[in-house]
Amino acid sequence: MCNLYNISKGPQAILDFTRAMRSAAGNLAPGSIYPNYPAPVVRVGEDGERELAMLQWGMPSPPAYVKGADRGVTNIRNVGSPHWRRWLGVSSRCVVAATSFAEPSPTKDENGRTPNVWFAIDESRPLFFFAGIWTRWHGVRKVKDGPGDFDLFGFLTTAPNAVVKPVHPKAMPAILTTTVEMETWLTAPWEEAKELQRPLADELLMIVPKPEAVDGA
């Protein structure tokens, strides 16, 4: 399960790639994204224009699994579930900007800790996107904060490719690397868009050193 990724590109690079019309992401300092953190996401706004916005990572959990606060579901695999089907239409799809992502290593380091293994398209860490979904939600994320209104996102996962499988044998994020894939995810009927929930080709991913200035990663 991917619960940590990094973005090292600024808002203009994301706007250019996605052809978004506006940004509400501010200066967008580079860094790590953890569950329940705000992160840059491109979606269709209320007026029909494509926009870059900051959403909180973690979709609403199935009610049966919630007791008190709901910190959300970051990774979505079973899109056939009634809980997730409601968000598979074009109006609820988004793309989540990233330049690398991490999975916990299957082996501990010399200090007995579990390090992260980082993956990127190549050593230059170009921009890519996770195939995501989003929603507006009212509820409790942290008990101490009480109920609030949130714009939330998560992204789809799929079977791992040959690069990820030795580290995480169960899953990897559904990754989009081209403008054609991004447009398909944001605009196509589900019968076409669902084909993008697939492993990224092995030759399009590699293990890289951890990003600079990633605290605790």
Side-chain angles (χ1 to χ4, degrees), residues 83-171:
H83 181 74
W84 302 118
R85 284 204 303 263
R86 75 189 85 177
W87 294 306
L88 298 180
V90 168
S91 62
S92 296
R93 287 187 226 145
C94 62
V95 293
V96 182
T99 50
S100 58
F101 70 94
E103 297 287 3
S105 172
T107 58
K108 296 184 182 297
D109 63 18
E110 62 275 12
N111 297 312
R113 295 177 296 191
T114 301
N116 286 308
V117 179
W118 285 88
F119 302 89
I121 303 304
D122 60 41
E123 291 179 348
S124 69
R125 302 174 200 257
L127 187 65
F128 64 83
F129 293 85
F130 302 123
I133 56 176
W134 77 279
T135 190
R136 289 198 166 96
W137 180 77
H138 180 82
V140 178
R141 298 294 274 193
K142 296 180 181 179
V143 172
K144 67 181 180 67
D145 295 338
D149 295 310
F150 303 88
D151 280 10
L152 305 176
F153 79 93
F155 51 73
L156 272 56
T157 60
T158 185
N161 65 12
V163 181
V164 176
K165 191 172 183 177
V167 177
H168 194 274
K170 293 184 177 180

Side-chain angles (χ1 to χ4, degrees), residues 146-214:
D149 295 310
F150 303 88
D151 280 10
L152 305 176
F153 79 93
F155 51 73
L156 272 56
T157 60
T158 185
N161 65 12
V163 181
V164 176
K165 191 172 183 177
V167 177
H168 194 274
K170 293 184 177 180
M172 69 175 292
I175 294 173
L176 314 176
T177 61
T178 70
T179 55
V180 172
E181 291 172 344
M182 182 270 305
E183 288 290 343
T184 298
W185 182 252
L186 290 178
T187 65
W190 176 243
E191 286 303 306
E192 181 180 353
K194 70 179 183 181
E195 300 301 320
L196 294 169
Q197 190 184 16
R198 80 291 181 252
L200 189 65
D202 297 344
E203 65 271 16
L204 294 181
L205 200 66
M206 65 183 299
I207 293 175
V208 295
K210 74 176 184 180
E212 294 181 6
V214 178

Side-chain angles (χ1 to χ4, degrees), residues 44-62:
V44 176
E46 292 182 351
D47 59 358
E49 296 285 358
R50 196 173 292 179
E51 64 180 10
L52 171 60
M54 298 297 285
L55 276 61
Q56 203 158 325
W57 189 14
M59 288 287 283
S61 303

Side-chain angles (χ1 to χ4, degrees), residues 3-37:
N3 276 326
L4 172 63
Y5 66 94
N6 187 267
I7 177 72
S8 61
K9 304 296 184 184
Q12 192 59 52
I14 300 171
L15 292 169
D16 291 345
F17 192 111
T18 61
R19 303 188 184 99
M21 300 300 294
R22 60 176 176 258
S23 173
N27 293 328
L28 189 60
S32 343
I33 307 295
Y34 295 87
N36 231 10
Y37 274 43

